[in-house]
Amino acid sequence: MGDNQAHFWLGLTTGIAVCSVAFSVYTGMVLHQTLTAASKSAPVQTVMSKPGPAQIQFQQDESPSSETLERLHSMFTINSEKLNQIVKHMIVEMRKGLQADGQALLMIPSHVVNRPTGREVGSFLALDLGGTNFRVCEVVLDGHSGARVRQSKHTITDAQKHMPANELFDFFADCVRKFLIEGFVNVPRGKEEAELQARTWKLGFTFSFAVNQTAIDRGICVYMGKGFVNPGIVGSDVVILLQEAFKRKNLNIEVQALVNDTTGTLISHAYIQPSTRVGVILGTGTNCAYVEKMENIPKYKGDDAEFAKEMIINMEWGTFDDEQVVIPRTKYDKRVDRTFNQEGKATFEKLISGMYLGEIVRFVIVDLVKNGELFLAGGSPELNEPRSFETAFMSRIERDHTLDLNDTRSVLEEMLKIPRTTLADRRLVKTLCELVGKRSARLSAAGVAAVVTKMNKLDGCTVGIDGSLFELYPHFSNRMRDALREILGISAENIVLEQARDGSGQGAALIAALANEGN
């Protein structure tokens, strides 16, 4: 390209650029003048520069009220100082219960004076009667801390909860008979009855109701509950009722042991982990059993008191602090106590276990709605229905880590039919669930800390824990461990919390095996 051509193109492009800039400046000035004039002649247009209603709502919906959050934190938080007070008070109550009957903590002797070594062998049966189901189990112990379990599960109907005692126990015996025959896989067809009559079995009976246990294989039922109103059970020895039913059905089964499910949990876990000295249930209900030195059980006058070194104690710790001496209660805790069975009893359990946590949360939510602090679009008939907010909902909400808390929205809007929830609503409900769930874990930890301290086992102890709260509720086990560190300091590292399973089945069979060894 020649010099003249280059100069031509340079001048042309420069001129275009200058003109473009000048045009932009001119256009900007005209636009500014136009907008200024418009604003003077029609000032109402200035609302266009403010957020619209949807934008305002979105900004307001982001966070719940700090005052509400502070109030809830104050209600449900149990600090380290209070945890230590709870531990000291529980130890005092444990000693009282070991000294004499009729105390706040029942501290029931289980009559189980041996723990498994892992070397137990043999085949044993277990019958596990709970609230809505019962199971028949066959547990084969291999002598190497292992077990093979076969079981069948049966539902207790409402009609069966009302039938006379002998009819109910005949039903149990019929189910055991069917279970045993189904296990005869190598017996020729038609020969099952002869095989049944030729064999004998030892059985452990898990009876998850209140009994006055007078021996390893004797116990008078004092109260049932859970919808059971069968004539002839309360006031009777449940082992004799079962033994007589087996006799009527021509079954050669000897009931070796009457077992509480918490004691079964301890024994079952000790079979695979011999350092286990505490068993805890943290599920629909809660309880604790532990190994106590015989010399520390002054009220026990059994024949084995002279030679046995230790015995498992069933604490029935759900009744701890029923006098409301040390644990702070909110008005919502008191409402739950009033609306469930036996007001004023098992109040520790009502602060901890899965049967009650959801209802505590529901009572709080209903109040927050009434006060205009939650769900401005209103609540729902479903929310107002007693026990409609399940503890399983709390678990799902605590697991919700989505940005908009969509799982929480599903629980509230789809399951509880709340017309509309904001992000602030959902954050507040999640915080509430966290507070109630965390308090449950910390109170549970305080109970464990009291037991291991009373046992003088801060140098090392395994705690076997069964139940859906410990196994499935988000962060529950870690919250317990955190609270143990606050209470016990560095000694908490010596306390091992482990998931235990099937204490009511395998544990009952193991106790039958231990009782059989002692005979």
Side-chain angles (χ1 to χ4, degrees):
M1 181 184 296
D3 290 341
N4 290 335
Q5 287 177 306
H7 291 150
F8 170 75
W9 288 110
L10 178 62
L12 179 62
T13 56
T14 302
I16 291 173
V18 170
C19 289
S20 178
V21 170
F23 180 76
S24 296
V25 172
Y26 171 75
T27 303
M29 292 173 63
V30 171
L31 181 60
H32 174 71
Q33 292 172 352
T34 303
L35 289 175
T36 301
S39 66
K40 290 179 180 179
S41 61
V44 72
Q45 296 295 328
T46 57
V47 297
M48 295 294 292
S49 63
K50 296 181 180 180
Q55 291 172 292
I56 294 172
Q57 188 69 51
F58 179 79
Q59 291 170 358
Q60 290 176 342
D61 288 347
E62 290 296 317
S63 299
S65 161
S66 59
E67 291 182 1
T68 302
L69 289 175
E70 288 174 8
R71 189 172 75 252
L72 293 177
H73 273 277
S74 176
M75 280 186 182
F76 292 104
T77 298
I78 297 182
N79 60 30
S80 300
E81 181 182 3
K82 179 55 70 174
L83 286 175
N84 278 285
Q85 292 173 5
I86 292 168
V87 169
K88 291 176 181 177
H89 187 62
M90 180 174 279
I91 293 172
V92 169
E93 295 300 306
M94 290 173 70
R95 290 187 174 127
K96 288 181 181 178
L98 293 170
Q99 187 75 32
D101 290 330
Q103 304 300 309
L105 280 178
L106 297 179
M107 306 298 285
I108 301 170
S110 70
H111 299 269
V112 178
V113 296
N114 296 308
R115 284 177 290 138
T117 62
R119 297 188 295 273
E120 290 77 14
V121 295
S123 176
F124 297 86
L125 297 179
L127 181 64
D128 172 22
L129 176 61
T132 56
N133 302 294
F134 85 97
R135 293 183 303 151
V136 183
C137 308
E138 181 183 26
V139 180
V140 181
L141 307 173
D142 65 9
H144 302 284
S145 295
R148 187 174 73 253
V149 181
R150 181 174 71 91
Q151 65 178 336
S152 64
K153 188 175 183 179
H154 309 267
T155 300
I156 304 290
T157 66
D158 188 61
Q160 287 168 332
K161 291 182 178 182
H162 289 75
M163 63 175 47
N166 63 326
E167 293 182 22
L168 179 64
F169 279 78
D170 279 351
F171 170 66
F172 296 155
D174 284 334
C175 291
V176 173
R177 166 182 276 274
K178 180 181 178 182
F179 174 82
L180 292 174
I181 290 175
E182 289 174 348
F184 294 157
V185 293
N186 297 320
V187 176
R189 191 172 186 135
K191 302 291 186 181
E192 295 92 349
E193 187 64 31
E195 180 70 16
L196 196 63
Q197 296 305 316
R199 295 184 59 179
T200 60
W201 289 267
K202 308 291 186 182
L203 179 142
F205 181 22
T206 299
F207 187 74
S208 300
F209 302 93
V211 297
N212 177 21
Q213 191 161 353
T214 56
I216 187 68
D217 59 350
R218 288 290 178 267
I220 307 298
C221 179
V222 295
Y223 174 76
M224 288 198 74
K226 301 179 185 179
F228 285 83
V229 291
N230 308 78
I233 295 184
V234 174
S236 297
D237 188 320
V238 294
V239 173
I240 292 177
L241 289 175
L242 184 60
Q243 197 72 70
E244 289 178 344
F246 288 151
K247 186 176 180 179
R248 288 192 293 271
K249 300 298 178 178
N250 295 316
L251 294 172
N252 301 318
I253 300 174
E254 181 183 354
V255 182
Q256 291 277 132
L258 179 63
V259 182
N260 172 271
D261 55 355
T262 316
T263 302
T265 295
L266 193 164
I267 290 293
S268 178
H269 202 65
Y271 182 63
I272 60 175
Q273 179 53 267
S275 63
T276 304
R277 290 179 171 268
V278 183
V280 177
I281 301 292
L282 289 170
T284 305
T286 184
N287 193 15
C288 178
Y290 76 101
V291 179
E292 182 60 271
K293 293 178 181 178
M294 191 65 79
E295 63 195 55
N296 294 332
I297 319 174
K299 71 178 181 180
Y300 183 68
K301 307 299 182 184
D303 294 338
D304 45 8
E306 295 182 7
F307 62 85
K309 294 182 179 179
E310 61 185 31
M311 178 180 286
I312 295 177
I313 295 294
N314 166 25
M315 291 180 62
E316 292 294 342
W317 79 0
T319 60
F320 170 63
D321 198 38
D322 277 354
E323 304 88 348
Q324 301 189 24
V325 172
V326 67
I327 302 175
R329 267 81 168 183
T330 70
K331 61 181 179 180
Y332 306 107
D333 301 322
K334 294 175 182 178
R335 284 184 197 172
V336 166
D337 181 35
R338 287 195 300 271
T339 56
F340 280 84
N341 293 335
Q342 295 184 299
E343 180 181 352
K345 295 186 178 180
T347 57
F348 188 60
E349 180 173 80
K350 290 171 183 175
L351 299 173
I352 289 177
S353 69
M355 179 176 286
Y356 308 101
L357 298 183
E359 188 69 350
I360 295 172
V361 170
R362 189 188 72 84
F363 275 131
V364 179
I365 290 175
V366 169
D367 260 15
L368 292 174
V369 173
K370 287 180 180 177
N371 296 337
E373 298 173 272
L374 188 65
F375 308 151
L376 297 183
S380 68
E382 287 78 5
L383 177 64
N384 292 324
E385 186 69 25
R387 307 179 195 182
S388 59
F389 195 99
E390 301 172 12
T391 301
F393 293 170
M394 295 173 61
S395 182
R396 182 173 173 182
I397 288 169
E398 281 220 51
R399 281 197 184 92
D400 187 0
H401 300 295
T402 60
L403 190 61
D404 291 329
L405 298 180
N406 290 322
D407 272 357
T408 305
R409 188 204 307 268
S410 295
V411 169
L412 297 174
E413 297 184 9
E414 296 175 17
M415 297 181 179
L416 293 171
K417 308 301 181 185
I418 305 300
R420 178 180 175 274
T421 65
T422 65
L423 182 55
D425 290 334
R426 299 191 290 275
R427 284 176 172 168
L428 181 54
V429 170
K430 182 175 182 179
T431 298
L432 174 60
C433 291
E434 289 170 348
L435 288 169
V436 174
K438 186 175 182 179
R439 184 183 67 166
S440 169
R442 289 171 69 81
L443 287 172
S444 303
V448 170
V451 172
V452 295
T453 302
K454 167 69 178 68
M455 295 168 63
N456 196 26
K457 294 298 295 181
L458 294 178
D459 56 341
C461 180
T462 297
V463 181
I465 305 179
D466 195 5
S468 54
L469 275 181
F470 186 79
E471 181 179 9
L472 302 174
Y473 195 93
H475 319 299
F476 199 94
S477 60
N478 287 334
R479 287 167 176 168
M480 283 187 69
R481 293 184 179 98
D482 289 343
L484 282 176
R485 292 186 193 99
E486 292 179 38
I487 300 167
L488 303 177
I490 195 170
S491 295
E493 304 304 319
N494 301 325
I495 311 304
V496 180
L497 308 182
E498 290 186 347
Q499 179 69 48
R501 291 181 175 86
D502 196 24
S504 54
Q506 181 172 308
L510 276 162
I511 292 173
L514 293 171
N516 187 59
E517 288 179 356
N519 292 337

